[in-house]
């Protein structure tokens, strides 16, 4: 039976993971991670958040009551397989929470991996930015037979919302939501870059300010903030495309969004060159850099 004050494992303490870990630690929980193979940035973020680095996955599963997997989508299944291997070596009835932006069928396959290894599993969809001192943080939508066990974290500073008993509900909500928010950012990035390349940026900006002022304000904030995250959003758009295709809906729009984020990732903005980040602080600067990257692309014969 889970302790009323559970020990938490976080894989991995990146932007979202370390902030959630810090919130839980601030509210009195012991928070662990395994930093083997992680970047120096993740090591620094974990230390900043007060997250304890343990020796290996086996130690993590032996000591944690709940493990939160918060990774880029492409790493989610491999993480579940790693934890399953550790569980087989050190059996324990922990609760594994997949918090990644993945399709319902992906999370259902991960449930099988984890439960076969002897642990419990919940599906979690995170909507909103990382928790900070001045905000309540994201909403964590949870579903699955053990959803109420995960909901104990409401007592420790997280906004937990139980959706229902089915694995895939929370991931499905995340996919639908992100298709609108990040899908719209991808479309705006493509349209605004195209207008720059066509010499029509001023005309498009004037028209948007006149007829679509709310959208234009969204673009002003959303597009410049996107490039450092583009590498993470490629896989997320692909997972949304899989979700829609599984339902019989056309996946091509989200495949296109993935392609846009892949293009941004390959530019100097996506590579986070410091000088580029200093320049890419507003919408005009970002579209200048992206349209210049278009000019540099080799033409296809």
């Amino acid at each position: 039976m889970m302790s009323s004050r559970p020990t938490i494992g976080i894989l991995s303490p990146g932007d979202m993971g370390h902030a959630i870990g810090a919130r839980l630690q601030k509210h009195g929980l012991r928070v662990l991670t395994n930093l083997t193979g992680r970047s120096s940035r993740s090591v620094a973020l974990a230390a900043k958040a007060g997250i304890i680095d343990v020796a290996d996955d086996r130690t993590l599963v032996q000591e944690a009551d709940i493990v939160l997997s918060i990774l880029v989508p492409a790493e989610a299944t491999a993480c579940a397989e790693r934890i399953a291997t550790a569980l087989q070596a050190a059996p324990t009835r922990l609760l594994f929470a997949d918090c990644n932006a993945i399709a319902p069928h992906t999370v259902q396959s991960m449930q099988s991996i984890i439960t076969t290894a002897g642990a419990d599993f919940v599906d979690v969809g995170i909507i909103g930015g990382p928790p900070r001192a001045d905000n309540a943080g994201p909403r964590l939508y949870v579903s699955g037979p053990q959803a109420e066990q995960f909901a104990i974290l409401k007592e420790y500073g997280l906004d937990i919302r139980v959706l229902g008993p089915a694995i895939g509900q929370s991931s499905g909500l995340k996919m639908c939501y992100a298709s609108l928010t990040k899908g719209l950012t991808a479309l705006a990035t493509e349209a605004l870059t195209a207008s720059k390349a066509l010499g029509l940026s001023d005309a498009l900006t004037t028209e948007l300010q006149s007829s679509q002022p709310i959208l234009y304000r969204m673009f002003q904030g959303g597009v410049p903030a996107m490039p450092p995250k583009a590498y993470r959003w490629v896989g997320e758009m692909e997972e949304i495309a899989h979700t829609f295709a599984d339902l019989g809906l056309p996946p091509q729009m989200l495949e296109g969004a993935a392609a846009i984020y892949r293009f941004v990732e390959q530019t100097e903005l996506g590579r986070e060159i410091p000088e580029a980040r200093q320049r890419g602080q507003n919408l005009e600067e970002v579209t200048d850099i992206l349209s210049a990257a278009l000019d540099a692309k080799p033409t296809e014969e």
Side-chain angles (χ1 to χ4, degrees), residues 19-280:
I20 287 177
R23 175 66 58 87
L24 294 169
Q25 194 270 347
K26 181 180 178 182
H27 282 76
L29 294 187
R30 183 167 176 255
V31 184
L32 313 176
T33 192
N34 173 17
L35 292 170
T36 303
R38 306 309 302 185
S39 68
S40 58
R41 182 172 183 270
S42 291
V43 172
L45 288 173
K48 177 183 175 183
I51 299 173
I52 301 165
D53 181 23
V54 298
D56 49 36
D57 289 338
R58 181 171 178 170
T59 305
L60 184 75
V61 302
Q62 287 177 321
E63 297 192 18
D65 298 298
I66 305 174
V67 171
L68 282 67
S69 171
I70 308 175
L71 303 153
V72 296
E75 296 178 6
T77 298
C79 178
E81 290 170 343
R82 270 180 48 207
I83 295 302
T85 299
L87 287 166
Q88 289 161 356
T92 177
R93 199 72 188 181
L94 63 75
L95 181 62
F96 184 93
D98 182 82
C99 306
N100 299 298
I102 55 177
H105 79 261
T106 306
V107 79
Q108 288 159 2
S109 70
M110 291 169 58
Q111 177 194 22
S112 177
I113 292 169
I114 292 296
T115 57
T116 298
D120 293 322
F121 185 95
V122 288
D123 173 20
V124 180
I126 301 177
I127 295 179
R132 307 294 184 202
D134 59 349
N135 69 42
R139 280 75 60 209
L140 279 71
Y141 290 90
V142 58
S143 64
Q146 282 77 37
E148 292 295 342
Q149 292 183 36
F150 186 81
I152 193 176
L153 297 184
K154 286 191 291 188
E155 300 174 18
Y156 300 98
L158 298 184
D159 184 349
I160 310 293
R161 306 186 183 190
V162 176
L163 275 183
I167 298 296
Q169 287 177 295
S170 296
S171 290
L173 177 64
K174 171 68 174 181
M175 295 289 92
C176 293
Y177 181 87
S179 73
L180 293 170
T181 55
K182 294 168 186 173
L184 184 57
T185 298
L187 182 59
T189 300
E190 186 165 21
L192 293 165
T193 300
S195 74
K196 180 75 71 171
L198 292 167
L200 297 170
S201 182
D202 290 344
L204 180 60
T205 296
T206 299
E207 178 57 36
L208 287 170
Q209 289 172 330
S210 173
S211 62
Q212 303 291 337
I214 295 174
L215 279 179
Y216 185 68
R217 286 196 295 272
M218 288 174 58
F219 300 157
Q220 281 183 302
V223 174
M226 170 272 296
K229 298 176 279 192
Y231 78 99
R232 299 203 306 262
W233 291 3
V234 172
E236 187 167 343
M237 297 301 102
E238 291 172 339
E239 288 290 325
I240 298 170
H242 294 325
T243 301
F244 290 175
D246 287 343
L247 295 170
L249 291 166
Q252 288 87 350
M253 285 189 290
L254 280 303
E255 291 170 348
I260 283 292
Y261 290 133
R262 190 174 292 108
F263 161 64
V264 174
E265 176 193 0
Q266 292 168 353
T267 70
E268 59 187 77
L269 290 176
R271 292 192 296 269
E272 297 191 78
I273 297 172
E275 294 78 9
R277 292 305 307 139
Q278 289 170 9
R279 289 190 290 130

